[in-house]
Amino acid sequence: MKLTKDYQNIILNHTPLLDVRAPIEFNKGAFPGAVNQPILTDEERHIIGIKYKEAGNAEATALGYEMVSGEKKEERVQGWVNFFKENPEGYLYCFRGGSRSRIAQEWLHEAGIDIPRLEGGYKAFRQCLLDILDGTYLSASPITLGGHTGSGKTKVIYQVKKAIDLEGLAHHRGSSFGNYIEPQPAQIDFENQLAYALFHHNHAGYKHLIIEDEGRNVGRCFINKELFAYFRSGSMVILSIPLDGRVENTLEEYVIDSQQRYMNHYGEADGLSQWYTYIEGSMKRVERRLGGDRLKAVLAELDHAYRAQLATGSIDAHRDWITIFLRDYYDPMYEYQMSKSTRPVAFEGDASAVIEYLNQLD
């Protein structure tokens, strides 16, 4: 039976992967694009695990064959067959590349499908990806893109080929209001996707890596300290946008686009209400830094803008609370952080100038 440990080509080609681990294992973390079609359900795996502890491997294996037989076996094998007919270049894996993926491989062979399995399974490939994240893998010089909140840094990142969008990988906008309706990926999934992105960047031969200036935590996802130190070891480029421009960017992202997401998810009437609750709750969570009086003022402006929108359909009044929040909360925090930064600033300019500067780098 074929084995492979050509992890580099798997990453480069985004090779389809069939994960035959139990759902509970898959949900803790899997590889980008992997599909879970388990050989054992969570309950079956639990029962067989007990048998293994009580009677050893042979008895546990025998129980597994007994539990997954007849129509149950046929259904699972047919699912795998369908997957590999659609993805003939794919591989399969279990946790350590042992009995579960070997048995699945044998059953597929009996069904006329010969597919390699990952040598060492999930554990070995996962270690390969962790090695990419250790802070020593990359040869490119990192450049962090900074700027006041609302400057549109993510829009710039999208227009620079040698950039990696950390917020996109974490599915979070990196701010107090950064949550999306959909949950963030599991930490392991975030790390695996980041490792794929870094590997592709390195393989492309870029001499510079552009990332947005983030803390170690992007929502609930976090960057390990070695990789974070690497990100912070280079210079900065500052995106400089006037306050009124930042207000418009914030209005577009956190009001117009965000409201549309909520309405798409909850329906038009409930969506606006859910959006308001989310924004209000996000404001209250930063009361200690914003201050009680400022919080009351910004909440009053939010309430006024929300009521005006319901009555007239206009979003114009939302600019008022956005201005207060940027000016009184985010700007002082950003300026304090920059005063403590020792990273050199290589360039500063507006969006078009910054994009031109970053794209002319190797």
Side-chain angles (χ1 to χ4, degrees):
M1 293 293 180
K2 298 177 184 177
L3 290 169
T4 185
K5 55 180 179 181
D6 190 1
Y7 304 132
Q8 293 189 1
N9 274 325
I10 292 173
I11 299 171
L12 286 175
N13 298 321
H14 288 278
T15 303
L17 297 171
L18 182 68
D19 187 326
V20 297
R21 297 177 301 157
I24 191 172
E25 298 171 281
F26 182 85
N27 291 334
K28 289 178 180 177
F31 304 121
V35 173
N36 185 221
Q37 293 188 20
I39 191 170
L40 298 172
T41 65
D42 291 337
E43 183 179 1
E44 290 163 351
R45 173 176 173 267
H46 177 67
I47 293 170
I48 291 169
I50 293 173
K51 176 62 73 173
Y52 175 83
K53 291 178 181 179
E54 293 176 346
N57 184 62
E59 291 291 331
T61 301
L63 177 60
Y65 277 112
E66 179 183 340
M67 294 181 72
V68 185
S69 59
E71 290 185 5
K72 186 181 290 187
K73 173 185 173 182
E74 290 176 9
E75 288 177 1
R76 292 180 193 181
V77 172
Q78 188 58 54
W80 303 336
V81 168
N82 293 340
F83 177 87
F84 286 114
K85 282 184 176 178
E86 294 178 3
N87 305 281
E89 73 280 20
Y91 302 138
L92 67 86
Y93 67 90
C94 63
F95 184 64
R96 292 188 178 88
S99 59
R100 286 183 290 178
S101 57
R102 177 182 53 78
I103 292 169
Q105 191 180 37
E106 290 172 354
W107 288 352
L108 278 164
H109 176 73
E110 293 169 2
I113 302 287
D114 288 314
I115 290 295
R117 73 181 192 272
L118 295 190
E119 184 175 346
Y122 169 86
K123 188 174 182 181
F125 189 19
R126 166 71 172 158
Q127 186 58 55
C128 169
L129 298 181
L130 287 175
D131 291 342
I132 295 172
L133 301 176
D134 71 357
T136 63
Y137 171 79
L138 293 167
S139 56
S141 298
I143 295 178
T144 52
L145 177 62
H148 287 86
T149 297
S151 297
K153 297 184 288 294
T154 301
K155 292 180 179 179
V156 170
I157 289 290
Y158 287 160
Q159 297 182 66
V160 179
K161 286 186 177 180
K162 59 186 72 66
I164 290 179
D165 180 13
L166 297 174
E167 292 184 0
L169 295 176
H171 194 58
H172 193 278
R173 288 168 293 204
S175 70
S176 302
F177 301 87
N179 289 325
Y180 289 99
I181 298 173
E182 307 82 9
Q184 288 189 256
Q187 174 65 23
I188 292 174
D189 289 337
F190 168 70
E191 291 172 349
N192 289 345
Q193 291 179 53
L194 178 55
Y196 264 56
L198 291 171
F199 186 89
H200 277 268
H201 188 282
N202 201 55
H203 187 264
Y206 295 125
K207 294 182 180 179
H208 294 88
L209 168 64
I210 318 301
I211 68 271
E212 194 169 333
D213 192 24
E214 304 280 359
R216 277 191 64 190
N217 286 73
V218 188
R220 72 176 187 183
C221 296
F222 63 87
I223 302 164
N224 71 60
K225 63 180 181 180
E226 294 83 8
L227 184 61
F228 185 70
Y230 159 75
F231 286 160
R232 290 296 180 105
S233 66
S235 59
M236 293 190 72
V237 167
I238 304 299
L239 180 59
S240 182
I241 305 295
L243 178 60
D244 58 351
R246 294 190 287 118
V247 169
E248 293 307 309
N249 286 336
T250 305
L251 180 73
E252 179 182 354
E253 183 172 6
Y254 288 94
V255 178
I256 299 172
D257 292 348
S258 185
Q259 285 184 357
Q260 190 60 56
R261 284 175 177 268
Y262 273 83
M263 287 189 290
N264 290 344
H265 187 82
Y266 293 105
E268 186 168 349
D270 288 344
L272 283 177
S273 174
Q274 292 285 342
W275 172 85
Y276 177 82
T277 300
Y278 149 69
I279 293 291
E280 182 185 46
S282 298
M283 289 179 177
K284 290 179 178 178
R285 283 194 291 273
V286 298
E287 178 178 4
R288 183 176 62 84
R289 288 185 176 179
L290 184 63
D293 291 340
R294 286 197 182 102
L295 177 64
K296 289 179 182 178
V298 77
L299 286 175
E301 292 292 348
L302 171 65
D303 183 68
H304 169 72
Y306 179 64
R307 291 178 183 277
Q309 183 180 0
L310 292 179
T312 68
S314 173
I315 60 170
D316 290 344
H318 286 290
R319 291 183 177 87
D320 295 332
W321 68 262
I322 292 172
T323 300
I324 295 172
F325 223 86
L326 292 179
R327 185 190 62 214
D328 295 346
Y329 175 69
Y330 280 113
D331 288 3
M333 185 165 52
Y334 171 78
E335 287 154 13
Y336 173 78
Q337 291 168 348
M338 287 300 295
S339 72
K340 298 296 182 181
S341 175
T342 58
R343 289 171 289 170
V345 176
F347 185 82
E348 182 171 357
D350 62 16
S352 60
V354 165
I355 291 168
E356 182 180 359
Y357 173 80
L358 293 177
N359 278 328
Q360 58 85 29
L361 297 173
D362 294 333

